[in-house]
Amino acid sequence: MRLVFLGPPGAGKGTQAQILQQRFGAKQVSTGDILRENRAQGTELGKLAQSYMSSGALVPDEVIIKMIDAELDKLSGGFVMDGFPRTVAQAEAFDCLLDGKNLQLDAVVLFNADRETLIARLTGRWTNPRTGRTYNAATNPPRVAGIDDDDGGPLVQREDDKLETVGKRLDVYEKQTAPLVEYYRRSGKLVEVDALAPVDAVTKEIVAKIGVPVEQRAAG
Ligand code: AP5
């Protein structure tokens, strides 16, 4: 399974990528997570990305493309690209990288949601920085506020989930990433899901629309 998850911040791309990784073994490749890890470790890449990320802007294309090239080399099976590509330049470069490795995308899943819901989801999000598992204060709270259900460690809120930065990220999506909808529609690989539905229902719709064989669905 080789997928791209396309959709605005807060649409649930990371949540669903984690589920597909657990269920089908398709590796979640989150450019946001890789950048945050680099930032936490204080690498050159992390330092460069910091100012873009905290203001809600995109990190420059050439930096991201180099990063994905390195990630593709590490992959041996399927993947879910979560948050990449995000510009037409990134999508074109990705096509070239895939061609060069004789790989083809199975589908691009577009997550549809309205702005009001996205703002509520992002400002209520809590994340386990050790595993990437996300919760939501309103719709999917942990058993104990601020504590992860699985490992009992602290949950954190992302600095770019502040209301003012969330608005900027949504505007950036509309301007720089939304043109990818047409790009992938033309390729015939685009499928759309209702990202406003509950988490389980979104997973079901994705699995049905990307054409996972029935025996693999049952195993998952
Ligand atoms: P990144 O980390 O990729 O953030 P994003 O795309 O803005 O997406 P999010 O992680 O905020 O949302 P999501 O769709 O994954 O939603 P989630 O599942 O968490 O990027 C961060 C920054 O890094 C960018 O701003 C940029 O600076 C940089 N960057 C990254 N990639 C880049 C690239 N390719 N090029 C350039 N720059 C790049 O869910 C959100 C909340 O909703 C959670 O609380 C969750 O529990 C809840 N939720 C999820 N699904 C449901 C549901 N069905 N019902 C109810 N609640 C739900």
Side-chain angles (χ1 to χ4, degrees):
M1 162 187 303
R2 295 190 199 95
L3 304 174
V4 164
F5 278 2
L6 178 63
K13 304 179 298 295
T15 301
Q16 296 297 331
Q18 285 232 327
I19 294 171
L20 263 56
Q21 175 169 274
Q22 278 161 16
R23 208 175 274 186
F24 304 112
K27 182 159 177 3
Q28 175 190 20
V29 180
S30 160
T31 39
D33 285 349
I34 298 170
L35 291 168
R36 278 184 288 279
E37 276 159 29
N38 274 276
R39 220 172 41 179
Q41 289 163 7
T43 66
E44 285 308 311
L45 171 60
K47 285 180 204 155
L48 188 152
Q50 166 61 26
S51 61
Y52 297 100
M53 293 177 81
S54 57
S55 70
L58 295 184
V59 173
D61 287 335
E62 57 277 16
V63 175
I64 298 289
I65 292 162
K66 208 167 135 196
M67 210 171 89
I68 286 292
D69 193 8
E71 286 302 310
L72 281 178
D73 285 340
K74 294 185 215 157
L75 291 174
S76 52
F79 58 74
V80 180
M81 290 293 157
D82 164 15
F84 173 88
R86 249 170 152 109
T87 63
V88 171
Q90 289 182 20
E92 287 170 349
F94 190 39
D95 284 347
C96 289
L97 288 174
L98 291 173
D99 276 353
K101 295 177 200 302
N102 257 326
L103 297 174
Q104 285 209 323
L105 284 179
D106 296 316
V108 175
V109 181
L110 173 62
F111 288 64
N112 288 315
D114 63 273
R115 192 174 173 105
E116 201 183 323
T117 304
L118 297 169
I119 291 172
R121 282 189 185 172
L122 291 169
T123 52
R125 170 166 57 184
W126 288 84
T127 307
N128 178 335
R130 299 163 298 284
T131 64
R133 180 172 176 184
T134 58
Y135 296 84
N136 191 276
T139 57
N140 174 30
R143 285 194 292 271
V144 179
I147 300 293
D148 184 67
D149 289 351
D150 297 327
D151 68 14
L155 299 173
V156 296
Q157 280 195 296
R158 271 170 46 178
E159 63 161 348
D160 61 349
D161 280 347
K162 283 189 235 113
L163 188 56
E164 56 278 20
T165 318
V166 163
K168 167 91 189 287
R169 285 163 63 201
L170 291 170
D171 293 344
V172 165
Y173 174 82
E174 284 308 322
K175 214 168 161 185
Q176 294 183 259
T177 308
L180 286 181
V181 175
E182 273 318 303
Y183 181 91
Y184 282 120
R185 207 189 296 282
R186 281 198 301 275
S187 76
K189 299 223 160 126
L190 193 80
V191 299
E192 300 191 41
V193 296
D194 173 14
L196 297 177
V199 172
D200 289 354
V202 178
T203 310
K204 279 203 184 96
E205 193 179 2
I206 294 172
V207 169
K209 289 204 169 150
I210 62 176
V212 176
V214 172
E215 62 277 12
Q216 216 177 332
R217 287 187 212 179

PDB file of all heavy atoms in Angstrom, residues 176-200:
ATOM      1  N   GLN A 176      -1.302  27.209  -0.764  1.00  0.00           N
ATOM      2  CA  GLN A 176      -0.169  26.469  -1.317  1.00  0.00           C
ATOM      3  C   GLN A 176      -0.422  24.976  -1.512  1.00  0.00           C
ATOM      4  O   GLN A 176       0.206  24.360  -2.368  1.00  0.00           O
ATOM      5  CB  GLN A 176       1.054  26.657  -0.400  1.00  0.00           C
ATOM      6  CG  GLN A 176       1.537  28.109  -0.404  1.00  0.00           C
ATOM      7  CD  GLN A 176       2.792  28.285   0.439  1.00  0.00           C
ATOM      8  OE1 GLN A 176       2.730  28.745   1.562  1.00  0.00           O
ATOM      9  NE2 GLN A 176       3.922  27.890  -0.106  1.00  0.00           N
ATOM     10  N   THR A 177      -1.334  24.395  -0.726  1.00  0.00           N
ATOM     11  CA  THR A 177      -1.519  22.932  -0.805  1.00  0.00           C
ATOM     12  C   THR A 177      -2.792  22.542  -1.555  1.00  0.00           C
ATOM     13  O   THR A 177      -2.802  21.544  -2.288  1.00  0.00           O
ATOM     14  CB  THR A 177      -1.522  22.314   0.621  1.00  0.00           C
ATOM     15  OG1 THR A 177      -0.354  22.763   1.310  1.00  0.00           O
ATOM     16  CG2 THR A 177      -1.503  20.807   0.572  1.00  0.00           C
ATOM     17  N   ALA A 178      -3.861  23.338  -1.421  1.00  0.00           N
ATOM     18  CA  ALA A 178      -5.123  22.964  -2.070  1.00  0.00           C
ATOM     19  C   ALA A 178      -4.982  22.761  -3.594  1.00  0.00           C
ATOM     20  O   ALA A 178      -5.677  21.895  -4.155  1.00  0.00           O
ATOM     21  CB  ALA A 178      -6.205  23.995  -1.745  1.00  0.00           C
ATOM     22  N   PRO A 179      -4.079  23.485  -4.287  1.00  0.00           N
ATOM     23  CA  PRO A 179      -3.920  23.197  -5.727  1.00  0.00           C
ATOM     24  C   PRO A 179      -3.534  21.743  -6.035  1.00  0.00           C
ATOM     25  O   PRO A 179      -3.724  21.267  -7.157  1.00  0.00           O
ATOM     26  CB  PRO A 179      -2.785  24.156  -6.150  1.00  0.00           C
ATOM     27  CG  PRO A 179      -2.883  25.296  -5.183  1.00  0.00           C
ATOM     28  CD  PRO A 179      -3.308  24.680  -3.879  1.00  0.00           C
ATOM     29  N   LEU A 180      -3.042  21.020  -5.037  1.00  0.00           N
ATOM     30  CA  LEU A 180      -2.686  19.604  -5.266  1.00  0.00           C
ATOM     31  C   LEU A 180      -3.915  18.730  -5.496  1.00  0.00           C
ATOM     32  O   LEU A 180      -3.801  17.635  -6.033  1.00  0.00           O
ATOM     33  CB  LEU A 180      -1.916  19.051  -4.066  1.00  0.00           C
ATOM     34  CG  LEU A 180      -0.473  19.510  -3.930  1.00  0.00           C
ATOM     35  CD1 LEU A 180       0.168  18.858  -2.727  1.00  0.00           C
ATOM     36  CD2 LEU A 180       0.292  19.154  -5.172  1.00  0.00           C
ATOM     37  N   VAL A 181      -5.080  19.218  -5.057  1.00  0.00           N
ATOM     38  CA  VAL A 181      -6.300  18.427  -5.265  1.00  0.00           C
ATOM     39  C   VAL A 181      -6.499  18.216  -6.765  1.00  0.00           C
ATOM     40  O   VAL A 181      -6.709  17.089  -7.220  1.00  0.00           O
ATOM     41  CB  VAL A 181      -7.531  19.133  -4.638  1.00  0.00           C
ATOM     42  CG1 VAL A 181      -8.810  18.379  -4.968  1.00  0.00           C
ATOM     43  CG2 VAL A 181      -7.356  19.270  -3.123  1.00  0.00           C
ATOM     44  N   GLU A 182      -6.378  19.287  -7.550  1.00  0.00           N
ATOM     45  CA  GLU A 182      -6.535  19.170  -9.007  1.00  0.00           C
ATOM     46  C   GLU A 182      -5.402  18.355  -9.610  1.00  0.00           C
ATOM     47  O   GLU A 182      -5.591  17.559 -10.523  1.00  0.00           O
ATOM     48  CB  GLU A 182      -6.605  20.558  -9.666  1.00  0.00           C
ATOM     49  CG  GLU A 182      -8.005  21.125  -9.707  1.00  0.00           C
ATOM     50  CD  GLU A 182      -9.066  20.081 -10.087  1.00  0.00           C
ATOM     51  OE1 GLU A 182      -8.952  19.467 -11.160  1.00  0.00           O
ATOM     52  OE2 GLU A 182     -10.003  19.861  -9.287  1.00  0.00           O
ATOM     53  N   TYR A 183      -4.188  18.582  -9.096  1.00  0.00           N
ATOM     54  CA  TYR A 183      -3.000  17.865  -9.591  1.00  0.00           C
ATOM     55  C   TYR A 183      -3.241  16.354  -9.513  1.00  0.00           C
ATOM     56  O   TYR A 183      -3.025  15.616 -10.469  1.00  0.00           O
ATOM     57  CB  TYR A 183      -1.783  18.278  -8.746  1.00  0.00           C
ATOM     58  CG  TYR A 183      -0.476  17.637  -9.141  1.00  0.00           C
ATOM     59  CD1 TYR A 183       0.379  18.250 -10.062  1.00  0.00           C
ATOM     60  CD2 TYR A 183      -0.068  16.416  -8.599  1.00  0.00           C
ATOM     61  CE1 TYR A 183       1.588  17.669 -10.423  1.00  0.00           C
ATOM     62  CE2 TYR A 183       1.132  15.830  -8.959  1.00  0.00           C
ATOM     63  CZ  TYR A 183       1.955  16.458  -9.866  1.00  0.00           C
ATOM     64  OH  TYR A 183       3.147  15.876 -10.219  1.00  0.00           O
ATOM     65  N   TYR A 184      -3.710  15.893  -8.340  1.00  0.00           N
ATOM     66  CA  TYR A 184      -3.898  14.451  -8.175  1.00  0.00           C
ATOM     67  C   TYR A 184      -5.213  13.965  -8.792  1.00  0.00           C
ATOM     68  O   TYR A 184      -5.320  12.809  -9.183  1.00  0.00           O
ATOM     69  CB  TYR A 184      -3.790  14.066  -6.693  1.00  0.00           C
ATOM     70  CG  TYR A 184      -2.344  14.024  -6.232  1.00  0.00           C
ATOM     71  CD1 TYR A 184      -1.878  14.835  -5.207  1.00  0.00           C
ATOM     72  CD2 TYR A 184      -1.430  13.161  -6.840  1.00  0.00           C
ATOM     73  CE1 TYR A 184      -0.549  14.792  -4.802  1.00  0.00           C
ATOM     74  CE2 TYR A 184      -0.096  13.117  -6.440  1.00  0.00           C
ATOM     75  CZ  TYR A 184       0.336  13.935  -5.425  1.00  0.00           C
ATOM     76  OH  TYR A 184       1.652  13.885  -5.035  1.00  0.00           O
ATOM     77  N   ARG A 185      -6.200  14.865  -8.909  1.00  0.00           N
ATOM     78  CA  ARG A 185      -7.440  14.454  -9.583  1.00  0.00           C
ATOM     79  C   ARG A 185      -7.119  14.098 -11.037  1.00  0.00           C
ATOM     80  O   ARG A 185      -7.583  13.096 -11.569  1.00  0.00           O
ATOM     81  CB  ARG A 185      -8.481  15.577  -9.527  1.00  0.00           C
ATOM     82  CG  ARG A 185      -9.919  15.061  -9.591  1.00  0.00           C
ATOM     83  CD  ARG A 185     -10.937  16.164  -9.759  1.00  0.00           C
ATOM     84  NE  ARG A 185     -11.024  17.100  -8.653  1.00  0.00           N
ATOM     85  CZ  ARG A 185     -11.642  16.858  -7.503  1.00  0.00           C
ATOM     86  NH1 ARG A 185     -12.209  15.695  -7.291  1.00  0.00           N
ATOM     87  NH2 ARG A 185     -11.684  17.774  -6.563  1.00  0.00           N
ATOM     88  N   ARG A 186      -6.264  14.924 -11.645  1.00  0.00           N
ATOM     89  CA  ARG A 186      -5.877  14.670 -13.041  1.00  0.00           C
ATOM     90  C   ARG A 186      -5.161  13.332 -13.187  1.00  0.00           C
ATOM     91  O   ARG A 186      -5.232  12.693 -14.224  1.00  0.00           O
ATOM     92  CB  ARG A 186      -4.974  15.798 -13.559  1.00  0.00           C
ATOM     93  CG  ARG A 186      -5.715  17.070 -13.966  1.00  0.00           C
ATOM     94  CD  ARG A 186      -4.860  17.946 -14.866  1.00  0.00           C
ATOM     95  NE  ARG A 186      -3.617  18.350 -14.227  1.00  0.00           N
ATOM     96  CZ  ARG A 186      -3.479  19.403 -13.419  1.00  0.00           C
ATOM     97  NH1 ARG A 186      -4.512  20.175 -13.173  1.00  0.00           N
ATOM     98  NH2 ARG A 186      -2.311  19.687 -12.879  1.00  0.00           N
ATOM     99  N   SER A 187      -4.451  12.908 -12.139  1.00  0.00           N
ATOM    100  CA  SER A 187      -3.709  11.638 -12.233  1.00  0.00           C
ATOM    101  C   SER A 187      -4.653  10.436 -12.085  1.00  0.00           C
ATOM    102  O   SER A 187      -4.250   9.296 -12.283  1.00  0.00           O
ATOM    103  CB  SER A 187      -2.626  11.577 -11.147  1.00  0.00           C
ATOM    104  OG  SER A 187      -3.225  11.285  -9.883  1.00  0.00           O
ATOM    105  N   GLY A 188      -5.920  10.691 -11.700  1.00  0.00           N
ATOM    106  CA  GLY A 188      -6.906   9.612 -11.543  1.00  0.00           C
ATOM    107  C   GLY A 188      -6.749   8.852 -10.232  1.00  0.00           C
ATOM    108  O   GLY A 188      -7.394   7.824 -10.025  1.00  0.00           O
ATOM    109  N   LYS A 189      -5.897   9.343  -9.343  1.00  0.00           N
ATOM    110  CA  LYS A 189      -5.626   8.581  -8.097  1.00  0.00           C
ATOM    111  C   LYS A 189      -6.345   9.150  -6.879  1.00  0.00           C
ATOM    112  O   LYS A 189      -6.231   8.609  -5.786  1.00  0.00           O
ATOM    113  CB  LYS A 189      -4.116   8.605  -7.821  1.00  0.00           C
ATOM    114  CG  LYS A 189      -3.333   7.959  -8.952  1.00  0.00           C
ATOM    115  CD  LYS A 189      -2.241   7.063  -8.468  1.00  0.00           C
ATOM    116  CE  LYS A 189      -1.835   6.099  -9.541  1.00  0.00           C
ATOM    117  NZ  LYS A 189      -0.418   6.136  -9.823  1.00  0.00           N
ATOM    118  N   LEU A 190      -7.078  10.245  -7.062  1.00  0.00           N
ATOM    119  CA  LEU A 190      -7.666  10.921  -5.900  1.00  0.00           C
ATOM    120  C   LEU A 190      -8.944  10.230  -5.432  1.00  0.00           C
ATOM    121  O   LEU A 190      -9.838   9.968  -6.221  1.00  0.00           O
ATOM    122  CB  LEU A 190      -7.977  12.378  -6.255  1.00  0.00           C
ATOM    123  CG  LEU A 190      -8.299  13.265  -5.064  1.00  0.00           C
ATOM    124  CD1 LEU A 190      -7.009  13.699  -4.359  1.00  0.00           C
ATOM    125  CD2 LEU A 190      -9.065  14.507  -5.500  1.00  0.00           C
ATOM    126  N   VAL A 191      -9.009   9.940  -4.123  1.00  0.00           N
ATOM    127  CA  VAL A 191     -10.267   9.513  -3.515  1.00  0.00           C
ATOM    128  C   VAL A 191     -10.555  10.472  -2.365  1.00  0.00           C
ATOM    129  O   VAL A 191      -9.625  10.996  -1.753  1.00  0.00           O
ATOM    130  CB  VAL A 191     -10.236   8.048  -3.006  1.00  0.00           C
ATOM    131  CG1 VAL A 191      -9.986   7.073  -4.140  1.00  0.00           C
ATOM    132  CG2 VAL A 191      -9.207   7.855  -1.899  1.00  0.00           C
ATOM    133  N   GLU A 192     -11.844  10.717  -2.098  1.00  0.00           N
ATOM    134  CA  GLU A 192     -12.188  11.698  -1.064  1.00  0.00           C
ATOM    135  C   GLU A 192     -12.904  11.015   0.089  1.00  0.00           C
ATOM    136  O   GLU A 192     -13.702  10.105  -0.125  1.00  0.00           O
ATOM    137  CB  GLU A 192     -13.096  12.782  -1.649  1.00  0.00           C
ATOM    138  CG  GLU A 192     -12.432  13.521  -2.790  1.00  0.00           C
ATOM    139  CD  GLU A 192     -13.193  14.768  -3.222  1.00  0.00           C
ATOM    140  OE1 GLU A 192     -13.691  15.490  -2.346  1.00  0.00           O
ATOM    141  OE2 GLU A 192     -13.280  14.999  -4.435  1.00  0.00           O
ATOM    142  N   VAL A 193     -12.585  11.460   1.320  1.00  0.00           N
ATOM    143  CA  VAL A 193     -13.301  10.916   2.478  1.00  0.00           C
ATOM    144  C   VAL A 193     -13.866  12.056   3.318  1.00  0.00           C
ATOM    145  O   VAL A 193     -13.345  13.172   3.320  1.00  0.00           O
ATOM    146  CB  VAL A 193     -12.402  10.006   3.361  1.00  0.00           C
ATOM    147  CG1 VAL A 193     -11.952   8.773   2.605  1.00  0.00           C
ATOM    148  CG2 VAL A 193     -11.211  10.758   3.933  1.00  0.00           C
ATOM    149  N   ASP A 194     -14.950  11.716   4.029  1.00  0.00           N
ATOM    150  CA  ASP A 194     -15.590  12.683   4.918  1.00  0.00           C
ATOM    151  C   ASP A 194     -14.842  12.666   6.245  1.00  0.00           C
ATOM    152  O   ASP A 194     -15.062  11.783   7.078  1.00  0.00           O
ATOM    153  CB  ASP A 194     -17.062  12.288   5.104  1.00  0.00           C
ATOM    154  CG  ASP A 194     -17.748  13.163   6.149  1.00  0.00           C
ATOM    155  OD1 ASP A 194     -17.178  14.211   6.521  1.00  0.00           O
ATOM    156  OD2 ASP A 194     -18.856  12.792   6.589  1.00  0.00           O
ATOM    157  N   ALA A 195     -13.971  13.660   6.448  1.00  0.00           N
ATOM    158  CA  ALA A 195     -13.126  13.689   7.645  1.00  0.00           C
ATOM    159  C   ALA A 195     -13.878  14.176   8.875  1.00  0.00           C
ATOM    160  O   ALA A 195     -13.321  14.211   9.973  1.00  0.00           O
ATOM    161  CB  ALA A 195     -11.897  14.556   7.392  1.00  0.00           C
ATOM    162  N   LEU A 196     -15.151  14.532   8.710  1.00  0.00           N
ATOM    163  CA  LEU A 196     -15.963  14.980   9.856  1.00  0.00           C
ATOM    164  C   LEU A 196     -16.578  13.793  10.592  1.00  0.00           C
ATOM    165  O   LEU A 196     -17.067  13.935  11.712  1.00  0.00           O
ATOM    166  CB  LEU A 196     -17.086  15.898   9.382  1.00  0.00           C
ATOM    167  CG  LEU A 196     -16.634  17.204   8.720  1.00  0.00           C
ATOM    168  CD1 LEU A 196     -17.848  17.979   8.225  1.00  0.00           C
ATOM    169  CD2 LEU A 196     -15.836  18.043   9.700  1.00  0.00           C
ATOM    170  N   ALA A 197     -16.545  12.629   9.955  1.00  0.00           N
ATOM    171  CA  ALA A 197     -17.130  11.430  10.577  1.00  0.00           C
ATOM    172  C   ALA A 197     -16.248  10.983  11.741  1.00  0.00           C
ATOM    173  O   ALA A 197     -15.090  11.391  11.851  1.00  0.00           O
ATOM    174  CB  ALA A 197     -17.223  10.322   9.520  1.00  0.00           C
ATOM    175  N   PRO A 198     -16.791  10.118  12.650  1.00  0.00           N
ATOM    176  CA  PRO A 198     -15.954   9.600  13.738  1.00  0.00           C
ATOM    177  C   PRO A 198     -14.741   8.826  13.198  1.00  0.00           C
ATOM    178  O   PRO A 198     -14.783   8.337  12.058  1.00  0.00           O
ATOM    179  CB  PRO A 198     -16.912   8.657  14.487  1.00  0.00           C
ATOM    180  CG  PRO A 198     -18.283   9.086  14.093  1.00  0.00           C
ATOM    181  CD  PRO A 198     -18.174   9.651  12.706  1.00  0.00           C
ATOM    182  N   VAL A 199     -13.700   8.716  14.029  1.00  0.00           N
ATOM    183  CA  VAL A 199     -12.427   8.129  13.591  1.00  0.00           C
ATOM    184  C   VAL A 199     -12.629   6.765  12.913  1.00  0.00           C
ATOM    185  O   VAL A 199     -12.098   6.517  11.819  1.00  0.00           O
ATOM    186  CB  VAL A 199     -11.458   8.010  14.803  1.00  0.00           C
ATOM    187  CG1 VAL A 199     -10.211   7.221  14.428  1.00  0.00           C
ATOM    188  CG2 VAL A 199     -11.066   9.401  15.311  1.00  0.00           C
ATOM    189  N   ASP A 200     -13.399   5.876  13.547  1.00  0.00           N
ATOM    190  CA  ASP A 200     -13.593   4.529  12.977  1.00  0.00           C
ATOM    191  C   ASP A 200     -14.260   4.577  11.616  1.00  0.00           C
ATOM    192  O   ASP A 200     -13.926   3.793  10.714  1.00  0.00           O
ATOM    193  CB  ASP A 200     -14.496   3.679  13.894  1.00  0.00           C
ATOM    194  CG  ASP A 200     -13.775   3.294  15.153  1.00  0.00           C
ATOM    195  OD1 ASP A 200     -12.564   3.578  15.250  1.00  0.00           O
ATOM    196  OD2 ASP A 200     -14.431   2.714  16.054  1.00  0.00           O
TER     197      ASP A 200
END
